[in-house]
Amino acid sequence: MEKRRSTSKSLSKRSRPDKKTAAKSRRGQPYVYSKLKDLLGKEQDRVNAYAVVLDASAPYYVKEIEKYLCVMKLIDDTVNPKEAKAKGKVPPFISLTCFSRNKAEIPRVVKMGSIMRVHRGDTKKFNKSYQLNCDVGIKAAWLLFDPSDSVRPMSHTGRTYTFVEEDKKKLRELRKFSEKFFKDNDATEFASIGSNVDEIDLVATVLSRKSCKKNYDRLLVFDGEEFIKLAIDKDRYTHISPLDIVRIRGIMQKKNEFLVNDYTNIMKIDKDQAAAKELKRKVEKAKKDKKLSEQLDLYIPTVDKVKTVSVTIGSKAKAITLKELFELDPSKLKSQKFKVTVNVVEVGPRNPSDWIVTLDSKARKQ
């Protein structure tokens, strides 16, 4: 039976950088970070790198090596599809494989464009291409950052991690590159390069997620042309909500069914990215089709011309603004009469059960 280390110590969301070793590696030397282009040409040991995640599988178990792993496609300003097209000899991305006997030590990438930092990785030649390996069980470590927010990593290996001013600078530079790259390019097209031909990658809008069995949820998505249903474990893809735009990696189609694999991943796509804008264009085109439009209207809010609505409480109500409405004392509302005029810019969806929210009167937010 495989022995697993405690996950409570291996990944701590609240852990902070170790100030004593903040500027140096365990060998006492400062960390030197390589550009992805510098990892090409020869096999190297103990390399450190920052990169943007173009694509990533979910963590899955490989029986032959008795380890969990995750495979990613990484890019930066020296190795990416645009550079590959312009210079020819540069690959469109570098593959990264993370290994560990502990599943909790494998990164889960939930957003396209997340930032990955690798310490003490190795580069190996595989099928005529160089790839980066991060074996956590031996010596390597990683941090995973949000694409645009916070210097605190979303997840990481170990109880502590180093993070100094140089890291902040690297993170800012890479986020700046990533933001422009994903805005200017439909990166989902590049992310599918080298994928298994028997599998399907999708960019889609999540329409609903409903419980259908004891251990399964039914995910309904629309890719601009057809509605697709996926049965997923309840504890998988918990970051996904209705109206999210997502990239679904590695699903299989058998007859009229779409099936997820152990390594199938679903990553959220920011609405400002080119891939999201392209999907929005397809959805707007689909709404002109009567059959598609009737079903889409059940889930996607419709935006119409601005309409003015006057709501009056009491026969002699005083007109107030929405800001003043929120500032009213809830304990005195029963004795007050007021009128508010608002502009309605969005109506829908028709299925309110998916969208019921509560208002926190103290925080004045949903």
Side-chain angles (χ1 to χ4, degrees), residues 170-211:
K170 292 282 185 184
L171 196 56
R172 283 195 302 268
E173 291 174 351
L174 210 50
R175 280 173 170 166
K176 185 177 179 179
F177 157 78
S178 176
E179 181 182 9
K180 186 176 186 336
F181 178 84
F182 285 100
K183 278 187 177 181
D184 295 345
N185 303 278
D186 184 349
T188 57
E189 179 183 343
F190 304 128
S192 296
I193 296 173
S195 296
N196 192 325
V197 293
D198 297 326
E199 297 173 349
I200 299 171
D201 295 342
L202 296 174
V203 178
T205 296
V206 178
L207 299 180
S208 69
R209 178 174 185 160
K210 294 184 179 180
S211 178

Side-chain angles (χ1 to χ4, degrees), residues 117-352:
R117 189 187 83 175
V118 175
H119 275 181
R120 299 179 296 280
D122 299 330
T123 56
K124 303 291 182 182
K125 195 171 186 177
F126 180 74
N127 287 342
K128 298 181 180 180
S129 299
Y130 288 93
Q131 68 175 33
L132 180 61
N133 294 329
C134 177
D135 198 331
V136 178
I138 298 178
K139 62 178 181 295
W142 55 264
L143 301 182
L144 184 65
F145 295 91
D146 185 87
S148 59
D149 183 50
S150 182
V151 295
R152 182 183 293 274
M154 296 187 292
S155 56
H156 59 88
T157 51
R159 298 178 63 182
T160 61
Y161 56 88
T162 62
F163 194 82
V164 294
E165 287 301 320
E166 181 64 19
D167 290 279
K168 292 180 181 179
K169 181 181 177 181
K170 292 282 185 184
L171 196 56
R172 283 195 302 268
E173 291 174 351
L174 210 50
R175 280 173 170 166
K176 185 177 179 179
F177 157 78
S178 176
E179 181 182 9
K180 186 176 186 336
F181 178 84
F182 285 100
K183 278 187 177 181
D184 295 345
N185 303 278
D186 184 349
T188 57
E189 179 183 343
F190 304 128
S192 296
I193 296 173
S195 296
N196 192 325
V197 293
D198 297 326
E199 297 173 349
I200 299 171
D201 295 342
L202 296 174
V203 178
T205 296
V206 178
L207 299 180
S208 69
R209 178 174 185 160
K210 294 184 179 180
S211 178
C212 59
K213 292 182 180 180
K214 185 177 181 180
N215 297 319
Y216 289 90
D217 285 349
R218 179 72 68 182
L219 198 67
L220 177 65
V221 302
F222 182 68
D223 70 349
E225 296 179 0
E226 61 179 314
F227 296 92
I228 297 168
K229 293 180 180 180
L230 294 170
I232 58 175
D233 292 339
K234 287 186 179 295
D235 60 349
R236 293 190 76 180
Y237 318 120
T238 55
H239 58 288
I240 298 302
S241 303
L243 291 191
D244 282 341
I245 297 175
V246 297
R247 168 177 157 78
I248 305 175
R249 178 195 191 274
I251 59 175
M252 299 180 66
Q253 184 175 9
K254 290 187 177 180
K255 295 182 179 180
N256 294 326
E257 281 191 303
F258 289 89
L259 308 173
V260 299
N261 301 302
D262 290 342
Y263 49 83
T264 298
N265 197 17
I266 303 180
M267 294 181 290
K268 295 172 71 171
I269 298 176
D270 188 89
K271 64 181 181 180
D272 292 328
Q273 292 185 10
K277 292 179 179 179
E278 175 61 19
L279 177 63
K280 185 178 179 181
R281 185 190 65 78
K282 290 181 179 179
V283 171
E284 291 302 317
K285 183 179 179 180
K287 285 183 178 181
K288 296 178 182 179
D289 184 301
K290 187 176 180 181
K291 291 183 179 179
L292 294 176
S293 179
E294 287 178 355
Q295 191 167 354
L296 285 171
D297 285 347
L298 294 174
Y299 302 100
I300 299 179
T302 57
V303 179
D304 205 345
K305 293 181 180 179
V306 173
K307 298 178 181 179
T308 301
V309 179
S310 181
V311 182
T312 305
I313 299 179
S315 57
K316 295 181 178 181
K318 178 183 177 182
I320 63 173
T321 64
L322 282 176
K323 181 180 179 182
E324 291 171 331
L325 177 63
F326 273 95
E327 292 175 348
L328 290 175
D329 185 349
S331 64
K332 297 179 181 180
L333 282 179
K334 291 183 179 180
S335 61
Q336 291 185 350
K337 299 176 182 180
F338 58 88
K339 178 172 66 177
V340 60
T341 301
V342 297
N343 290 327
V344 180
V345 295
E346 190 173 278
V347 180
R350 295 180 187 174
N351 186 2

Side-chain angles (χ1 to χ4, degrees), residues 103-122:
K103 188 176 183 180
E105 292 180 334
I106 300 295
R108 294 176 181 270
V109 182
V110 298
K111 293 182 180 180
M112 198 167 188
S114 296
I115 309 297
M116 188 75 173
R117 189 187 83 175
V118 175
H119 275 181
R120 299 179 296 280
D122 299 330

Side-chain angles (χ1 to χ4, degrees), residues 34-61:
S34 302
K35 292 284 188 177
L36 293 185
K37 187 177 180 180
D38 299 331
L39 304 182
L40 304 173
K42 63 178 181 179
E43 295 188 348
Q44 301 177 59
D45 184 36
R46 302 183 74 89
V47 298
N48 309 306
Y50 270 92
V52 178
V53 180
L54 178 65
D55 183 36
S57 72
Y60 62 100
Y61 186 71

